[in-house]
Amino acid sequence: MILDGKQISQTIRAEIREEVQILKAKGLRAPKLAVVIVGNNPASETYVANKIKACEEVGIASERIALEADISEEQLLDEVKRLNNDPSVDGFIVQLPLPEHISETTIMSAIDYRKDVDGLTPENVGRTVQGLPSLVSATPRGIRELLARYDIRTEGKHVVVIGRSNIVGKPIAMLLMQRPYLSLPGMSAASLGDATVTVCHSKTRDLAAICRTADIIIVAAGSPKLLTADMVKEGVVVIDVGINRVEDDSPRGYHLVGDVDFENVAPKASFITPVPGGVGPMTIVSLLQNTLQAFSQTLKS
Ligand code: NDP
């Protein structure tokens, strides 16, 4: 069965739109997301445009803050501080990657974790590890939500995560191994967590043998056809996070593929995400959920 991230994300968008309308009906302002983009990386421009468009569709206010590529780290830090202190902004993100002369770690660390809707600050990561309420980075949050909406339980299951990045591999491993006390407002928490998680990376020995013991495989490596049919057991659940460009003769010159040999793995899988249309749309909708969550927390404080 296909895990249809596109359809589920549309359902969640409709839910968010309704929540925003309820807030407005109560006389409250709409939640607001600000997106800071430095320089003119074409991929970043596309991601930012998609995020702004997604906000507009659900009634979340948004602001695009474009800064020159040669801005100093200090100037960017000033902008972060301004946004931290702007009460009209509930959440903001600084689109990565940043130009080489700016330290991403320094910038991420300066963001107020209560407004960190990308869930990348050390505070939010630490809170997630400790099982405290936190803003979880968008892709792991989206994967967890997708599993929950299809009622795919993780308790006692062996989950193999391929990839150990800070934005996908590590946080999804952490979420799925947690006791399910980690509650995320607005999220279907049902029976997620309590998995036995193995995290693999490029130095892992005999990846295939490890994957063959997995009930659920989450691949976030950025390597086309890394996961092949001989590496999975019958009935496995496969979540393909990868987005890779493969050149072709189409007018666009390329098409997108994931990290899974979909054609051959799908017949063995009980559930599998397509690329595109799987994890990608869930990532954007998770950012909207995080913005709503950040807004609610502001209201409580
Ligand atoms: P990174 O490049 O930061 O991390 C990739 C990870 O995969 C690393 O830990 C690396 O190991 C591991 N890896 C790479 N090749 C292999 C291999 N052959 N065998 C085992 N492990 C391997 O990538 P990200 O986590 O940022 O992204 C991963 C993919 O997901 C990319 O294609 C990206 O475009 C996509 N992505 C998709 C999103 C979505 O919304 N759908 C959101 C974010 C990312 P090591 O640490 O040893 O180098």
Side-chain angles (χ1 to χ4, degrees):
M1 184 179 186
I2 299 288
L3 293 170
D4 190 342
K6 205 170 163 191
Q7 195 208 317
I8 297 289
S9 70
Q10 275 161 5
T11 305
I12 299 173
R13 278 183 198 219
E15 290 167 8
I16 297 174
R17 200 177 303 123
E18 209 176 307
E19 278 190 59
V20 173
Q21 274 166 2
I22 292 170
L23 290 171
K24 286 184 180 165
K26 285 182 184 162
L28 297 166
R29 67 169 173 81
K32 181 174 173 183
L33 173 75
V35 184
V36 179
I37 178 165
V38 181
N40 44 16
N41 175 324
S44 295
E45 294 275 5
T46 307
Y47 293 141
V48 169
N50 288 341
K51 288 167 188 175
I52 300 277
K53 190 165 155 252
C55 284
E56 281 166 6
E57 278 172 19
V58 298
I60 289 179
S62 59
E63 184 183 354
R64 180 178 178 278
I65 300 164
L67 303 170
E68 298 294 329
D70 61 359
I71 187 174
S72 70
E73 187 174 285
E74 208 158 327
Q75 285 170 307
L76 183 55
L77 274 175
D78 284 343
E79 186 59 29
V80 166
K81 283 180 202 153
R82 187 187 70 74
L83 290 166
N84 281 343
N85 294 319
D86 182 344
S88 74
V89 172
D90 301 293
F92 66 97
I93 62 178
V94 178
Q95 184 67 41
L96 301 179
L98 291 171
E100 273 183 13
H101 65 280
I102 299 178
S103 157
E104 290 183 356
T105 312
T106 304
I107 298 301
M108 289 301 121
S109 302
I111 297 174
D112 182 337
Y113 78 93
R114 290 163 298 190
K115 295 192 175 189
D116 167 32
V117 285
D118 252 350
L120 295 177
T121 58
E123 284 94 336
N124 269 321
V125 175
R127 291 174 71 86
T128 303
V129 171
Q130 294 194 345
L132 297 169
S134 59
L135 289 160
V136 173
S137 117
T139 304
R141 181 174 179 146
I143 294 170
R144 195 173 179 274
E145 184 77 47
L146 194 59
L147 292 171
R149 298 263 173 167
Y150 278 90
D151 201 21
I152 297 171
R153 295 169 188 244
T154 56
E155 182 188 329
K157 301 271 176 69
H158 183 206
V159 176
V160 169
V161 178
I162 309 177
R164 56 176 164 181
S165 71
N166 287 339
I167 62 164
V168 190
K170 282 188 213 163
I172 191 63
M174 194 51 60
L175 284 179
L176 295 182
M177 63 153 267
Q178 287 280 13
R179 290 207 181 100
Y181 58 68
L182 179 70
S183 67
L184 296 174
M187 189 166 178
S188 333
S191 63
L192 284 175
D194 277 342
T196 303
V197 181
T198 302
V199 181
C200 302
H201 45 77
S202 67
K203 304 289 186 291
T204 296
R205 287 191 197 146
D206 207 349
L207 181 66
I210 296 170
C211 288
R212 278 194 287 269
T213 67
D215 303 303
I216 299 172
I217 304 178
I218 298 171
V219 203
S223 176
K225 296 197 180 179
L226 173 62
L227 190 77
T228 49
D230 60 309
M231 295 168 74
V232 304
K233 68 179 183 189
E234 285 289 337
V236 68
V237 174
V238 178
I239 306 288
D240 189 354
V241 184
I243 302 177
N244 307 291
R245 283 186 178 194
V246 175
E247 287 180 18
D248 62 20
D249 295 332
S250 70
R252 196 161 65 154
Y254 67 89
H255 63 279
L256 297 179
V257 298
D259 289 350
V260 176
D261 178 6
F262 184 88
E263 200 187 332
N264 295 306
V265 171
K268 290 180 84 174
S270 56
F271 293 94
I272 187 166
T273 57
V275 175
V279 174
M282 294 302 295
T283 296
I284 292 220
V285 89
S286 297
L287 180 67
L288 303 178
Q289 289 178 305
N290 274 349
T291 305
L292 210 53
Q293 187 184 332
F295 175 83
S296 318
Q297 285 170 353
T298 310
L299 283 183
K300 276 183 207 141
S301 64

